[in-house]
Amino acid sequence: MAVIELIFPKFKPDQASIDELEREWPIISPKLTNPNPGLLSAFRGWILTENGRNVREENRAFLLFEWNTVESFHAFFASEQFAGFVVAIKHLVTEPSKLQLCEVSLSPKNAASASSIEILRVTVPSAENADGALKTWEEISQKAKEKYGNKVAITYGRSQNLEEVVVAGIIGWSGSEDCILATGGGVLGDSFESLKTFGELSHITVGIGAMELPPL
């Protein structure tokens, strides 16, 4: 098992703010990562589509962190270091981000090492629905490996810190054409559709890249 954090920062979408963010990010981002011994891997990107709609021009950012333990996650966000990051970034955001912590089946490194990833999240109304969604993700993972082999990497699990229960999965593709093929139907089509029977489904694609971490 692995512990991941899905972060959807509420950055100001105007171009001047985005330009400043990109210019200052090499200075600001180390406040998240250096030092941070609980952080095993970190990725940053921009949301490309949401439920089939192109949203890239809306400048919606995304961060994916992998933690060694849930305790490390909570300790860092109570630290003075994180408080310093908030001070440095607050003039570029519209509101605090909602941090989504999940315990998942595998490290996200293989999935997030792809140039584009899919994230499907199902907000479920009951523990029974959560179990059904997790079982469906197990089926998706197996079918994807049988069909696409090393072209795909998948991890999935359930939320740990939200009031509502969310079952989330991350799929990394070696090429965007495979992403379109898989979610458009075929061998995985029925499985993706069945996720909707367990709750409210959100489906995004993200262009993503690794953030530099200090040596251990």
Side-chain angles (χ1 to χ4, degrees):
M1 302 295 286
V3 177
I4 67 169
E5 178 191 1
L6 308 176
I7 312 165
F8 298 88
K10 303 293 186 179
F11 291 124
K12 294 177 180 177
D14 63 280
Q15 195 57 53
S17 296
I18 295 300
D19 289 344
E20 181 180 350
L21 173 67
E22 292 302 290
R23 187 170 60 249
E24 297 297 321
W25 186 252
I27 300 171
I28 295 173
S29 60
K31 297 180 184 295
L32 286 174
T33 61
N34 191 6
N36 192 342
L39 191 61
L40 301 180
S41 60
F43 302 85
R44 174 180 180 246
W46 300 94
I47 299 176
L48 305 176
T49 68
E50 181 176 36
N51 299 327
R53 182 174 66 91
N54 188 328
V55 297
R56 179 60 187 92
E57 292 187 359
E58 297 178 13
N59 293 322
R60 293 165 56 187
F62 173 74
L63 296 170
L64 170 63
F65 288 174
E66 179 186 8
W67 296 90
N68 60 354
T69 65
V70 172
E71 291 75 19
S72 291
F73 162 83
H74 289 295
F76 179 74
F77 285 99
S79 69
E80 292 184 6
Q81 181 179 339
F82 180 67
F85 169 79
V86 171
V87 169
I89 203 79
K90 65 183 300 183
H91 68 291
L92 294 173
V93 302
T94 58
E95 61 183 88
S97 302
K98 191 173 186 179
L99 310 177
Q100 303 180 20
L101 194 68
C102 295
E103 188 173 66
V104 295
S105 54
L106 298 168
S107 167
K109 287 181 182 178
N110 287 341
S113 293
S115 59
S116 62
I117 64 173
E118 291 182 89
I119 302 173
L120 293 94
R121 293 172 293 154
V122 185
T123 303
V124 299
S126 67
E128 182 180 359
N129 283 36
D131 291 341
L134 288 168
K135 184 176 180 181
T136 299
W137 268 110
E138 184 179 355
E139 295 170 356
I140 290 172
S141 182
Q142 182 176 350
K143 289 179 180 179
K145 285 296 183 183
E146 291 172 356
K147 177 66 175 180
Y148 300 104
N150 293 332
K151 288 185 177 182
V152 64
I154 294 176
T155 187
Y156 59 91
R158 64 184 296 167
S159 59
Q160 299 294 308
N161 70 321
L162 304 177
E163 291 183 5
E164 69 272 31
V165 178
V166 176
V167 174
I170 300 174
I171 310 176
W173 299 94
S174 59
S176 59
E177 67 279 2
D178 297 313
C179 168
I180 295 169
L181 174 64
T183 54
V187 69
L188 300 181
D190 290 342
S191 294
F192 283 120
E193 283 298 313
S194 69
L195 285 174
K196 297 178 182 179
T197 67
F198 299 107
E200 183 180 355
L201 178 66
S202 170
H203 178 194
I204 63 174
T205 60
V206 181
I208 202 164
M211 292 173 59
E212 185 176 351
L213 299 183
L216 296 177

